[in-house]
Amino acid sequence: MEIEMVVEIPRGARNKYEMDHGLGRIRLDRMLFTSTQYPCDYGFIPGTLAEDGEPLDAMALLEEPTFPGCQVTIRTLGVFWMHDERGADAKVLGVPARDPRYEAVRDLDDVPAYVRAEIGHFFDIYKSLEPGKSSDVRGWQDRTVADQEISQSAGRARTAASHPSEPT
C-alpha cells in the first residue's frame, strides 16, 4: 500500500517533536532522556486514529533524514508493535514509494534483520530514563497486518469525525 506520512522527527534526532493538530504546527515535546537517537524518520499517517487516540505512527527508511513537517509517500513493509503507558502502540514501517534505491524492498523480510533489531532496540530503551514512562516491545508483523492497521485506523478516524464527542 502507498500512503502519505508526515515526518515529525528526522533520523538521528534526540529531540522529540510532535504535531500540534489544533494549531497545525510542529512543537518540541521534549529531548529524549536517553542518549539514543531515532533510527529512522518518524511521524504519523494523516487521517488515521490509532488505538492510543493519536494518529497512527509511521517510520520511513530513507537515504538521508528529512525535516519536521515533511510529507513523504511511503510503501508499507510491516508494522512494529509495542505497549507503553497509553496501551497498544503500532508503528508502520515503509520506504519511499517511488525511489529506485528501494525498488527491491517490498516486504518486511527485505529489510535487513539488523535494521529491524536496531528499531526494536530503540523503542525498547528510549523511555527507560524518563519518569512515569515505559515501553514493552512486542515485535514485528508483515505488510498485510500493517495495511489492515492503516485501514482500521482510517475507519476509527472517520467514525470519530462523524460522531464528535459532546463538550463536557
Side-chain angles (χ1 to χ4, degrees):
M1 168 185 290
E2 288 187 13
I3 193 87
E4 299 297 319
M5 74 170 279
V6 174
V7 174
E8 292 172 302
I9 307 161
R11 182 182 81 216
R14 286 184 61 203
N15 284 339
K16 184 165 186 337
Y17 302 105
E18 289 194 358
M19 174 64 77
D20 183 321
H21 297 281
L23 294 175
R25 294 185 185 152
I26 301 279
R27 66 176 176 79
L28 176 63
D29 181 61
R30 65 188 182 277
M31 184 173 183
L32 295 180
F33 285 53
T34 60
S35 60
T36 191
Q37 303 171 351
Y38 278 82
C40 52
D41 280 31
Y42 182 85
F44 65 94
I45 299 171
T48 61
L49 189 61
E51 293 180 55
D52 65 2
E54 299 286 330
L56 182 61
D57 295 333
M59 304 178 284
L61 298 174
L62 300 161
E63 290 294 306
E64 296 287 332
T66 61
F67 54 89
C70 183
Q71 187 166 318
V72 180
T73 305
I74 61 170
R75 180 176 55 251
T76 58
L77 303 174
V79 60
F80 182 78
W81 291 95
M82 61 175 272
H83 251 75
D84 63 14
E85 60 281 352
R86 297 179 69 179
D89 196 359
K91 296 163 185 325
V92 172
L93 178 66
V95 294
R98 296 176 196 91
D99 188 329
R101 287 175 285 262
Y102 293 96
E103 185 58 37
V105 182
R106 296 284 172 174
D107 293 297
L108 191 56
D109 289 339
D110 296 329
V111 176
Y114 184 84
V115 172
R116 287 179 280 148
E118 185 179 24
I119 293 168
H121 177 70
F122 171 80
F123 287 110
D124 190 33
I125 66 167
Y126 81 122
K127 292 183 178 183
S128 63
L129 298 178
E130 198 165 344
K133 302 257 181 173
S134 65
S135 63
D136 178 24
V137 299
R138 303 297 171 95
W140 292 96
Q141 288 187 298
D142 66 16
R143 184 183 67 223
T144 302
V145 177
D147 293 349
Q148 289 171 348
E149 185 63 25
I150 292 167
S151 295
Q152 290 171 356
S153 294
R156 278 192 290 273
R158 285 190 300 275
T159 300
S162 66
H163 298 95
S165 52
E166 298 291 326
T168 55

